[in-house]
Amino acid sequence: MGKKGKRDKKGKGAEKTLAKLEKKVSRRARKEEEDLEALIAEFQSLDAKKTQVIESSCPPPSPRLNCSFSAHPEKDELILFGGEYFNGQKTYLYNDLYIYHIRKNSWAKLDIPNPPPRRCAHQAAVVPTAGGQLWIFGGEFASPNGEQFYHYKDLWVLHLATKTWEQIKAPGGPSGRSGHRMVACKRQLVVFGGFHESARDFIYYNDVYTFNLDSFTWSKLAPAGMGPAPRSGCLMTPTPEGNIIIYGGYSKQRIKKDVDKGTLHTDMFLLKAEGAGKEEDRWSWSRLSPSGVKPPPRSGFSVAAAPRNCCLLFGGVHDEEEEESIQGHFFNDISFYDMGKNRWFPAQLKGPRAEQRRHRRGRQAEAAGGEELQLPPPQGPLEIVKELVAEDGTVMTIKQLIPGAAEDKDRPGPEEEEEEEEGGGPGQPLEPWPRCSAMLAVKHGVLYVYGGMFEVGDRQVTLSDLHCLDLHRMEHWKVLLEMDPKTQEWLEESESDEEEDDDDDVEGAEGGEEEEESSEEESEDEEGEQQHPAVQPGEAQPQYMARTEQHWLSLARSHMGPQAKDKKVLKVAHAMAKTFYEDPI
């Protein structure tokens, strides 16, 4: 009784401290948010001009992170909403809505009247009700200079069948926040954690709210037991039994004036519904101690449901503090968590079946006295460090994790045609770029990874590529949309104009129309590539260009433009190929 009483007293003290801090942050943030409300209202007035639903084919979305990416519950479609982009000088916020048609491998932009305001770091959950509903809660809006923040506490639903947005106004919900997590569990939405930040203060949450999808009412839970510490960006997944699992996340504390200390959480908790089916569910926290190979500590990872009662964790970043800087180690690995066995295990790609046949044929040739040499496959994960030099001279160091690959693919042979038929064509990248804040969606057991970012010093590279991986076969990644990180614009602070009119800010937050136009121009450049042959007849091709010639020439041509001379295009293509994939290890 004594120990329990002390724990209860300690818990109540922490609640009082959190309440005081929340009031303090709220007072200081109110002025900031009032300033931003006027800007948000201006953007909404632009959105109010939309009077009809328009769906049109379009280029892929512009680079972004912290948007939502959800699978349609009934159609072979993925739904992308919102997000942010930073070019070194200005922050762009979006509220555009894109549909990715899986079977066609094509994008469409969906303009619907009265959408939610621009935002990032929100949460989305899909339920199959009435032809499908996409629920969105919270998130944040940032000023163009990225120094002021507005945290939303609104709840929206997109009716997929009728293509209409609806704002749900229900009292008693969570306070404004971003970085929280939300899942659909049974007939309710469950919201956990997140943070609220102003220019000077911040607060992290560990509260839990549920929204009933039948009565449209919010409830704040008071689970028994010791729950997770306040955090954002954690893994949150429902179990088939109607419980909730929480893992990891990030938080920071102020240890003295202007000095904050970040914490990478690696603990795991179960939020169990003990009174399921009754009028008032009773919930309780308990700590989990999973077995297996746990993922290394990180923040900014992404989460998705997986087959066989599992969920998966992809990517993320581990910041290593040095004397005068912070060096980020970015990941592109996958870890699975088996909810039934309470066990972690890393993903291992098997490689395409044609490649396995090549191994067998090599062994047969060796047994028959043939001269074909079979190299043994690498044992275990392999870390590759690459250095890329951007146009402005910035050296970009990227660590890439290859979790077990197969033999050397550079040797030409008749088996390559079969490999192409199996979907593992020549020149195909082994993995997506290491990144954090990527968007994941799973449809028919296939994982789709879109966008995200990685950093090199003070430079941020925001991605817009799209990859997929069959979670049943676990053979190889497939590239659906490529992106060359070296070609992305980055503006140094010293280059910025001190005077910017408000019209520029409005354009910047409208959703990246300029990027879309440039994407169209690049597509046209690629289509016209055949009219600009970059390889001179009779020229010998180096080994690293043999199988990826058209791939690199296409990237070089789209980067340099149709007016560039063929010899220069060829030279740049060689440099790209050597730098990206073909450097000796």
Side-chain angles (χ1 to χ4, degrees), residues 442-462:
V442 174
K443 185 68 176 180
H444 300 314
V446 177
L447 170 67
Y448 295 86
V449 177
Y450 170 80
M453 60 84 75
F454 62 84
E455 295 174 340
V456 183
D458 294 331
R459 180 180 182 137
Q460 175 176 307
V461 179
T462 307

Side-chain angles (χ1 to χ4, degrees), residues 31-271:
K31 179 63 171 64
E32 285 185 24
E33 297 192 342
E34 287 175 358
D35 295 339
L36 290 180
E37 281 177 355
L39 187 57
I40 294 172
E42 186 175 352
F43 294 147
Q44 286 186 289
S45 67
L46 296 175
D47 293 331
K49 296 178 181 179
K50 300 176 182 178
T51 58
Q52 57 183 344
V53 177
I54 301 176
E55 183 172 358
S56 56
S57 299
C58 67
S62 57
R64 63 189 67 195
L65 66 151
N66 290 327
C67 55
S68 56
F69 199 38
S70 310
H72 195 295
E74 295 184 356
K75 299 181 180 180
D76 291 336
E77 297 175 350
L78 305 178
I79 308 163
L80 187 149
F81 173 77
E84 64 175 316
Y85 170 69
F86 180 61
N87 68 358
Q89 291 182 1
K90 187 183 294 185
T91 299
Y92 297 78
L93 275 296
Y94 305 103
N95 68 340
D96 40 13
L97 185 68
Y98 289 91
I99 305 297
Y100 175 70
H101 298 281
I102 295 175
R103 295 182 181 274
K104 299 178 182 179
N105 188 24
S106 64
W107 290 90
K109 189 172 184 181
L110 191 56
D111 288 314
I112 300 177
N114 302 312
R118 291 155 176 76
R119 68 189 63 206
C120 65
H122 54 280
Q123 282 288 280
V126 172
V127 296
T129 304
Q133 295 176 340
L134 176 71
W135 290 83
I136 289 176
F137 172 76
E140 72 181 45
F141 178 89
S143 60
N145 62 10
E147 295 180 357
Q148 292 179 299
F149 304 95
Y150 181 93
H151 295 268
Y152 294 102
K153 58 179 179 180
D154 51 353
L155 180 66
W156 294 76
V157 58
L158 172 62
H159 301 279
L160 298 174
T162 59
K163 298 179 181 178
T164 54
W165 282 108
E166 179 185 2
Q167 183 177 4
I168 307 299
K169 297 182 179 180
S175 57
R177 62 188 67 194
S178 57
H180 53 288
R181 292 295 176 257
M182 180 176 77
V183 297
C185 184
K186 303 297 184 182
R187 286 295 299 162
Q188 57 190 358
L189 305 175
V190 185
V191 178
F192 169 79
F195 71 96
H196 186 290
E197 184 174 14
S198 65
R200 292 186 295 172
D201 296 297
F202 56 84
I203 181 172
Y204 284 78
Y205 300 102
N206 63 346
D207 48 5
V208 186
Y209 286 82
T210 60
F211 180 78
N212 190 297
L213 292 172
D214 295 317
S215 62
F216 281 23
T217 55
W218 284 105
S219 298
K220 183 176 182 179
L221 303 185
M226 186 67 72
R231 64 192 66 192
S232 69
C234 61
L235 178 155
M236 183 180 186
T237 186
T239 70
E241 298 78 22
N243 303 320
I244 302 292
I245 292 175
I246 301 290
Y247 166 77
Y250 174 83
S251 66
K252 62 182 180 180
Q253 292 179 325
R254 180 148 296 169
I255 55 179
K256 59 182 180 179
K257 187 177 181 180
D258 298 328
V259 178
D260 303 328
K261 181 181 179 181
T263 300
L264 290 178
H265 299 279
T266 58
D267 46 4
M268 179 175 278
F269 293 84
L270 176 69
L271 180 60

